[in-house]
Amino acid sequence: MLPSHSSVAGELTRKAIHDQPEWLRGVPERVGERRLPAGRVVYTGCGTSFHAAQTGGHALQALEAVLSPPDADVLVCVSHEGGTRLTIEAADAFAGPVWLVTGKEKSPLAEVADVVIVATPAVEESYCHPVSYTCAVAALEILRGEDVRWLRVAVEQALADPFASGDWERVAVVGAGRDWPTAQEAVLKLREGACVPAEAHETEQILHGHLAAIDESVRAYVLEGVGRAAERAHDAAAALRELGCETTLVPTAHPVVDIVRFQLLTLAIAGRRGIDPDRIHRDDPRWERARAAYR
């Protein structure tokens, strides 16, 4: 679906970000009484949808699920509009029942799926997909039997507490465990929405070699997490500060809540740079030619 014309750059993304509390309010009703059956569940998707899939549990990027179909009782596919080529191939290759979490009732993936959950009240128009992501994550949690009603208020609070933006050469987001999908999604938003050279690092991995390519030009965010992950997050933050990086240790609560401040940061940096996050360069002939090269 192509975004509708907007006279203000980022208008669709801004609206989607701030619509999240209301869209999240309706997710429990849209999921209804459906719950995943007992057994081994594997999740899959591409891009933002893969990051959402990772919050559900054991996840494979769609190409990996095509190359080696998982041994599982259920495959849960996440796709904004149900037309992602590799996710369709993964569903086709899987021998068991397929569940789909999406934004469209009818699509090529919906035709393959045994169960279709439409997590959003409409198809999101911004190519950054902020609200599609958070609604999909909430829907996956409901399917696992969790109560997500508290998320709406928590997201409202996060919307009122943005990060300060800046003109940085590079950005690094570090996380582990529950926070690893958030780190990846935060970096994807910064890259596609604001065209920032951003990189995601798993907390332990950044301490095993990656520091060699990091210096004071990097703005770092370390997602704290809990338990042992939090201990190593503090270690990573200390190491980054020793290198001269401006570093924020970010307390975390839930993937739906934690991504919001990075969505707002993307919007702010895009505005500073004069970039339209609604289109993620889909209105530039160079990037259109690049996409056409692999379709």
Side-chain angles (χ1 to χ4, degrees):
M1 177 178 179
L2 291 174
S4 60
H5 175 73
S6 172
S7 59
V8 180
E11 181 179 333
L12 297 175
T13 302
R14 184 177 298 103
K15 184 178 187 304
I17 290 171
H18 289 279
D19 278 350
Q20 287 178 113
E22 188 58 34
W23 282 34
L24 285 165
R25 183 199 299 272
V27 174
E29 181 179 350
R30 290 190 285 273
V31 175
E33 299 303 315
R34 290 169 292 193
R35 299 294 182 268
L36 287 165
R40 185 164 184 259
V41 180
V42 174
Y43 302 80
T44 194
C46 295
T48 286
S49 293
F50 176 56
H51 302 156
Q54 286 178 288
T55 70
H58 179 61
L60 292 173
Q61 206 280 343
L63 178 56
E64 300 300 327
V66 171
L67 297 175
S68 182
D71 179 13
D73 297 294
V74 176
L75 178 68
V76 177
C77 297
V78 183
S79 179
H80 302 303
E81 298 186 46
T84 305
R85 175 180 170 187
L86 265 294
T87 308
I88 296 168
E89 290 185 30
D92 284 333
F94 184 66
V98 172
W99 289 41
L100 172 63
V101 175
T102 185
K104 286 182 72 173
E105 183 177 3
K106 295 181 179 181
S107 68
L109 256 174
E111 292 178 6
V112 176
D114 299 276
V115 178
V116 178
I117 296 98
V118 179
T120 56
V123 176
E124 183 178 356
E125 291 189 84
S126 168
Y127 275 125
C128 266
H129 292 140
V131 67
S132 297
Y133 174 78
T134 51
C135 285
V137 173
L140 293 177
E141 190 147 319
I142 295 169
L143 290 174
R144 300 194 306 276
E146 301 296 328
D147 184 358
V148 302
R149 288 173 294 180
W150 67 277
L151 291 176
R152 179 183 61 80
V153 173
V155 167
E156 287 177 343
Q157 294 170 344
L159 286 168
D161 185 28
F163 293 125
S165 67
D167 295 318
W168 304 304
E169 292 183 31
R170 296 162 60 197
V171 176
V173 185
V174 180
R178 175 195 67 191
D179 299 325
W180 178 229
T182 302
Q184 295 171 81
E185 176 63 8
V187 163
L188 179 57
K189 293 308 95 164
L190 289 165
R191 291 181 69 92
E192 67 181 0
C195 303
V196 174
E199 52 204 59
H201 294 278
E202 198 276 340
T203 306
E204 193 63 25
Q205 286 297 99
I206 200 172
L207 300 175
H208 289 266
H210 293 281
L211 286 175
I214 291 178
D215 58 23
E216 66 279 1
S217 68
V218 176
R219 175 63 166 97
Y221 296 87
V222 181
L223 305 179
E224 186 174 26
V226 295
R228 189 68 174 124
E231 292 172 1
R232 293 306 270 169
H234 282 258
D235 291 342
L240 288 161
R241 288 175 181 139
E242 285 293 329
L243 291 170
C245 299
E246 182 183 352
T247 302
T248 301
L249 185 67
V250 184
T252 57
H254 188 281
V256 166
V257 180
D258 302 333
I259 194 59
V260 171
R261 297 173 80 193
F262 289 101
Q263 295 171 346
L264 292 170
L265 182 62
T266 298
L267 196 63
I269 295 175
R272 293 170 73 106
R273 292 184 163 204
I275 293 168
D276 185 356
D278 296 345
R279 301 291 306 200
I280 62 170
H281 269 165
R282 288 177 180 264
D283 52 350
D284 189 305
R286 289 178 61 200
W287 277 266
E288 278 302 290
R289 290 195 298 271
R291 290 186 180 92
Y294 61 80
R295 285 175 185 154

